[in-house]
Amino acid sequence: MHPAYSVIFFTTATGAGYGLIALLGLLAAFGLVQPDLWFGFTSFGLASCLIAAGLLSSTGHLGHPERAWRAFSQWRSSWLSREGVAAVLTFVPIGLLVLGWVVLGRSGGWVAAVGILTALCAAITVSSTAMIYASLKPIAQWHSRFTLPGYLLYSATSGLVLLSAIMQAFGRPSAAWMIAAILFTLASWGWKLATWRHNDGAGMAADLNSATGLAGGTVRSVEWPHTEQNYLMKEMGFRVARKHQQKLRTIVQLAAFALPAGLLLIDLLFGGGISTLLASLAVVSQLSGLLVERWLFFAEAKHTITLYYGLA
Amino acid sequence: METSPYIADRVAKTTCYMCACRCGIDVHIRDGKVRYINGNKDHPVNRGVLCGKGSAGIMQHYSPARLRKPLLRSGPRGSGEFREIEWEEALGIATERLARIRHTDPKKLAFFTGRDQSQSLTGWWATKFGTPNFAAHGGFCSVNMAAAGLYTVGGAFWEFGEPDWDRTKYFLLFGVAEDHDSNPIKIGLGKLKARGAKIVSVNPCRTGYNAIADEWIGIRPGTDGLFVLALIHELLRAGRVDIEYLVRYTNAHLLVIQNPGAADDGLFVRDAEGHPLCWDKSANAPARGDASTETPALSGEFEIGGRRCVPAFQLLAQRYLDESYSPDAVAEKCGVPAETIRRTAAELAHVAFEQAIELPVAWTDTAGRRHATMKGRPIAMHAMRGISAHSNGFHTCRAIHLLQVLLGTVDVPGGWRYKPPFPKPVPPGAKPAGKDGGKPDTPLSGSPLGFVTAPEDLLIGDDGKPVRIDKAYSWDAPLAAHGMMHTVIRNATRGDPYHIDTLFMYMANMAWNSSMNTAETMSMLTEKDNDGNYKIPFIIYSDAYYSETVPFADLVLPDTTYLERHDCISLLDRPISHADGPGDAIRHPVVQPDRDVRPFQSVLIDLGARLKLPGFVNEDGTAKYKDYADYIVNHERSPGIGPLAGWRGVFGEKHGRGERNPSQLQRYIENGGFWHHEFDVDQRYYKMANKSYLEAAVGMGFIAKAEPIRFELYSETLQRFRLAGQGHGAVVPPPSQRKRIEAHFDPLPIWYPPFEEAAIVERDYPLHALTQRPMHMYHSWGSQNAWLRQITSQNRLFVHHRLAAKLGFADDDWVWVESVNGRVKGQIRLVDGVEENTVWTWNAIGKRNGSWALKENAAEHTRGFLLNHAIGDLLPPDETGRRYSNSDPVTGQAAWFDLRVRIRKCMPEEAGFTSPQFKKLPLPPGISPSPSKLSFGAQFKQKVLAR
Amino acid sequence: MTCVPATTEKSLGLVIDLDSCVGCQACVTSCKEWNTGGHMAPLTDLKPYDGGVDGVWFNRVHTYEQTTDAGSRTVHFPRSCLHCAEPACVTVCPTGASYKRESDGIVLVNEDKCIGCKLCSWACPYGAREFDTDVGVMKKCTLCVDRIYNENLPEADRVPACVAACPTSARHFGDLADPLSPVSQLVEARGGVPLMPELGYRPTNRYLPPRAKKSNAVTSGAPPLSDASPAGGFLGWVDRLLSA
Ligand SMILES: Nc1nc2c(c(=O)[nH]1)N[C@H]1C(S)=C(S)[C@@H](COP(=O)(O)OP(=O)(O)OC[C@H]3O[C@@H](n4cnc5c(=O)[nH]c(N)nc54)[C@H](O)[C@@H]3O)O[C@H]1N2
Ligand SMILES: Nc1nc2c(c(=O)[nH]1)N[C@H]1C(S)=C(S)[C@@H](COP(=O)(O)OP(=O)(O)OC[C@H]3O[C@@H](n4cnc5c(=O)[nH]c(N)nc54)[C@H](O)[C@@H]3O)O[C@H]1N2
Ligand code: SF4
Ligand code: SF4
Ligand code: SF4
Ligand code: SF4
Ligand code: SF4
Ligand SMILES: [Mo]
């Protein structure tokens, strides 16, 4: 699949944003952090910015962004619609949470409830995003049991790493959260490796025999219907060179997982004066790594249409 | 949603000209724009269907490459620099020049037309002008098929005959990718499929029609003659030939003089009146062979008037029964297993004789015999350029006709059928005119094209030198019935046989895809003599689009598109008949030109009047015809016979022959643009000897007399030339050419290796290279069509997997295709469906940079390639150092498919773009750069809302 | 409405005969020609006269080679929307622009609602959706819904443009839900297949696979030819022929 930058940015940014929001919701709900105006504003602000920028960027690849509002209508069947609805609905508990926890400085009671609701809504939104891809049968690499957990995991992980950095910045380092961030990062890494292993074996959702109804033997494309590239091939026929792919996978592992985990570990053990810097570096590294991961998520996905063009 | 949107203000029915098939089309017009084109359901050619091109007619009509105004060259020839001029000036320049030529030496005008369908007008114009130097494109197209057919069975493949699609059970298709009968063949194949008839394709390439065949015989190019003669060997060996049919409809029984070394050897024995004789077995005496002797001898040796003679059939059988024609002997050369040849012969015999059919239709033959039924042997064949475009194509085609006739399948139910006005006498009567080379201000005595039957008919001077600039009807190509357009530019440049003044061309892209050796042709067009004058002093060209040839013209006469003009698809020319009856058609302007262009035929008629050519002016010197439409209605070739056969007579009550009808065009338009007459059921088969049909044909003016048409299996015409080659007779070839004539004018079909193959070292050029027509492109026209070029804007060289493996090539590699003549670069595609030592590509996709209003990066000139760069127009020198045209020695047919090549992988830095490249052509004045986006049709949608 | 009707009154669709398709592209350009001025007009072409030309087409014909134990064959394969019974292209559509008609099963796009998110094209395994970048909306084969019911056309012409044009009669149009319809019977007789059935889209269109290239009924009985002239040589043979 063609890796469109708007979508790559969208899924990565909203993933991190919702991850962070969900965590903030949980922090608030369970009183793990005391309400604080500036911490609240910064953390919620950052999360909301990530979400808003992501959502905005997602409209960037629309042919008719001005009609984006129509996308809310088909929640009964469409994961994309559900995602839109969930994304918007999530702003309601977020707003209440910000009001209660950040502005009014309350915790417990209804604030705790909206905290949990926020986390739930964020999880639903991220799940919906994941399901947009996971529900697409023509793409074996997406239509797999790895997609949904992956999205949730990377979202939680990037949220945690972000949270750790913010906590550091506000001088409230928490070993527990940092350990959690490290563990989630490592878990994400493992999941990604497992996903890749699965995907490499997954191949295509069908073969050219069944795609053409020509049973038996091998079927090879000898002429395309048109000699130049068309929409289908540009959008669905994207292929990443094997060498390139290996390099990018290494980058993902280093930037998204190894480096952030390492930085956080150093931070945890010997943070001292540069701990905020270390945690911030972990964020930057991870988010960049995840952008590459997301690029590969698209680039490595093989659509059945490529069968028809002999590109599979 | 709206399921009944408004479509068009009107539907105009006319005739397609995206190719020469000439289907009926319904043009839907809205607000003066073409909204949609679909097939005319009532039309006999296409019955409502269209092809890929016809359905893209809108983009042809609105092509950005349309010429807009007459152009006069302003820069060096070939530079593409022009200035726009008014029509009056253009016609003035042409008239002045042509008048001078006509007044001095009319043959200094070479008038060659391409793929047009008005050859009866253009030929007549040339006749009246008085130049013998006229022909259309047939010489480089398929004259082998036309000549072999007309000299054998009085009809031809091409679009002059067709399989009995509704009845045939076995269809043998030789060397066809698409052909002129584009839609009829496809419709026919659909019918065969529906009925479960067997389709056998003989073709080195397995694409298109050949892909859906039940059996694909991937033959080695140029060897079909051997394959067919081996089939004949098998049939003769088994005695599976239709003897009754042979005796009745062929000259197999005629007695051939056996007098080796003498001037009458191989000719027919004739009586005092010149009638050929046969031996009547029941009377045990000679008898007239053209009468209906029921029991002629087909074998035996006889003596008549002291001359030893044998029936032609005996010669025929003796020749092909020879072991050298056995399947085992030919298998390797053909690349077809002997077993396949034997099985095919067995299948042919089985279907012809065990699966024969009979129609319950009574008919009477020319001998007066009444037949209660029409017997049919349901085997049909079709063949085209895979046979014709080889230097042995004439004989190969004759071999196929021989096979058809031996099986008794010509014009019988289930067989291959003539389309009226065929059959014609074998060969048709008219001889080529212009032997004297043309006289000042004098018309020729007849058409410059015709059918020679003896050396005396050749257009050669007393010195034996060709009269015609293209050397047609000379010893180089005695039976060149369509002329040799492909030799004109070289001959005129070299002054061999002489220099000309003006080359006048119409609708032929001679500077690109219709010439061999394209690069050299372009340089010849601009070659200058020592005085700095162009060797071809003046070139007038009519095209409708900015083709590669336009820049080489001095004067460009811009034509209309096919939707903007009158045209006449005439029985005098290449009609659209059906085997069940004749038909013709018109085009009429369904939209008005938005440019300063004129229909070429009207321009030609105008020029004729300005030159005061007889027939083009009234007695008072005024123009006889206002325009082409006027000519179509009012011109008469002979009394009662005009360009159109339908609705003649004052009230439109007559068909075929009749007085002029002023409202004839209107009647055509009312009938959907065509006229079609169905013969009675008893007239539809056995047309060569069907009394009722032949009488009707005389009535319609197709033939002069209702006499039977006998197939010339044994060709006395060819034997006459052979005798001349042996030095007999008054007109003999110069000694240096005798061997060639003697070898190739065999009265019975022969096979010899294609010339180029014979002349090169096979090891150096081990591969055959072919082109095929894409069904969705018409030669070079298609690439200006925004829709068609999306399907193919780059052609690949198709290479067999195993060959590629042997050569170490991978799919998509870039390679050089090298021949003795030149080389060209392209990208390969690996396939299974091709004979292993053959490579091929789609024809005429490669374009010259800047032509056809294509832009800088168009794949047609960056990656698409034209194989013609590697095809030679001359053969390698023979032992006398003479270089013949790369053509069939009998007919002069261009041997495009004799090409032998080797392929070599490109250096890495050479990959990705084609070669050779030529200087980019500028757009002529008046033509705007092509748009970078097309939203055609958007205008119709908005209207839906508005209405 | 992107929820797919549980059943449709009819299932209109195409049956494409791979045994007769010669790859002539008539269906391709006739589709383009009709539709560029039709319901989804225009079918924009970008760089129409330059390199990298890219246009919107609802029907495209591929060429394949299939190699089996029986040998190799070349197959032309037209590809357009299959008007699936379970079209994920419809259910994924967030706006309701994509819909399947309850009356005849035709899958359409309402251009005025489409936001151009392209998701439907990802969801279609068959590559039947074509994005028009110029106008930013998704387009696709309409099964010529603006022809098949069009009262401005003679009744005989109320078939899809591609079907009307196809010269080899390789394309058939009809109601595949009706087992008695000619198309259903053709599918039955020729073993018509759906494409990629394993994905569960339940396409309406069917493809008739190429027939086995076994020797044909008319020739299967053909005995090998035997020598007619064992005795008497050639002349004896001709004499026997003539006296027969
Ligand atoms: N390698 C290779 N070369 C071949 C062949 C092959 O098989 N292989 N085939 C050969 C054969 S059989 C043929 S017939 C030739 C064909 O070759 P050409 O006769 O050159 O045919 P076209 O390319 O169709 O070009 C004819 C010209 O007519 C112009 N034209 C189109 N419509 C009109 C019109 O309405 N009015 C006027 N005045 N002009 C118009 C076009 O713009 C074009 O310039 O190619 C030959 N060349
Ligand atoms: N779409 C379309 N239709 C056209 C044209 C066009 O340009 N486009 N051009 C028109 C013109 S001018 C003409 S002349 C006709 C020609 O129509 P075709 O005769 O179909 O011409 P080609 O495409 O040259 O096809 C020649 C076929 O012969 C095969 N072949 C080559 N050498 C041999 C051989 O030695 N033996 C055998 N058995 N086969 C061989 C090739 O593989 C190819 O399939 O088509 C006409 N119709
Ligand atoms: S075959 Fe096609 S291009 Fe040729 S006349 Fe017919 S519809 Fe037109
Ligand atoms: S073929 Fe594709 S676009 Fe058509 S209905 Fe099925 S899924 Fe949808
Ligand atoms: S591109 Fe248009 S039709 Fe397709 S899913 Fe998006 S909104 Fe629906
Ligand atoms: S049914 Fe209509 S829209 Fe669909 S492919 Fe055929 S012509 Fe095109
Ligand atoms: S029109 Fe018919 S034969 Fe031609 S490509 Fe389409 S389906 Fe095949
Ligand atoms: Mo031709």
Side-chain angles (χ1 to χ4, degrees), chain B residues 1-7 28 35-38 41 48-59 62-64 169-170 183 186-187 189-190 193-194 196-198 206-215 234-241 243 247 281 296-300 313-314 317-318 321 342 345-347 349-351 355 775-776 783-791 793 801 830-833 853-859 863 930-938 940-941, chain C residues 17-57 60-61 63-67 71-76 99 101 108 111-112 134-135 139 144-154 156-169 190 211-229 234-239 241-243:
Chain B
M1 65 153 300
E2 175 61 71
T3 54
S4 266
Y6 182 81
I7 301 169
H28 299 248
R35 155 71 180 91
Y36 180 62
I37 299 174
N38 64 259
K41 282 206 156 53
V49 305
L50 281 187
C51 78
K53 298 160 273 142
S55 308
I58 293 180
M59 286 299 127
Y62 294 117
S63 160
K169 295 183 184 174
Y170 196 98
N183 276 328
K186 293 188 202 100
I187 297 170
L189 290 173
K193 283 280 176 184
K198 178 162 182 176
R206 189 188 64 202
T207 56
Y209 306 165
N210 306 295
I212 64 162
D214 296 277
E215 182 169 354
E234 282 294 286
L235 293 169
L236 288 172
R237 184 178 66 78
R240 305 285 268 171
V241 293
I243 292 292
V247 166
K281 288 209 302 181
L298 285 185
S299 66
F313 184 73
Q314 175 160 326
Q318 272 166 339
L321 278 167
R342 275 192 283 268
E347 290 181 2
H350 182 73
V351 177
Q355 307 259 329
M775 289 185 212
H776 54 278
S783 301
Q784 65 186 314
N785 186 304
W787 295 342
L788 297 179
R789 70 179 290 266
Q790 288 187 56
I791 298 168
S793 47
H801 276 118
L830 305 189
V831 290
D832 285 338
L854 292 178
K855 295 195 166 185
E856 191 55 41
N857 296 315
R863 288 177 277 127
S930 312
S932 53
K933 182 181 94 181
L934 268 184
S935 305
F936 190 86
F940 302 127
K941 176 153 163 162
Chain C
D17 187 351
L18 299 182
D19 194 53
S20 313
C21 174
V22 294
C24 72
Q25 310 277 351
C27 52
V28 171
T29 52
S30 60
C31 169
K32 175 89 172 182
E33 196 182 48
W34 172 262
N35 284 292
T36 198
H39 179 60
M40 301 233 74
L43 271 51
T44 312
D45 300 297
L46 300 175
K47 302 201 199 169
Y49 303 101
D50 205 348
V53 52
D54 182 0
V56 176
W57 298 78
R60 298 180 186 254
V61 178
T63 308
Y64 298 106
E65 281 184 347
Q66 182 188 23
T67 312
S72 160
R73 69 176 352 136
T74 301
V75 182
H76 303 285
Y99 62 106
R101 286 156 57 100
L108 290 176
E111 281 177 82
D112 297 332
D134 186 50
V135 286
K139 298 187 173 177
C144 287
V145 67
D146 49 358
R147 282 181 67 83
I148 58 176
Y149 303 111
N150 197 324
E151 279 155 24
N152 297 312
L153 286 172
D157 289 343
R158 292 181 206 160
V159 293
C162 57
V163 174
C166 177
T168 64
S169 302
R190 293 276 308 281
R211 284 179 262 225
K213 302 224 165 183
K214 61 174 162 35
S215 71
N216 203 283
V218 289
T219 55
S220 52
L225 293 178
S226 56
D227 227 327
S229 55
F234 168 71
L235 294 181
W237 165 69
V238 179
D239 282 341
L241 276 183
L242 288 175
S243 49

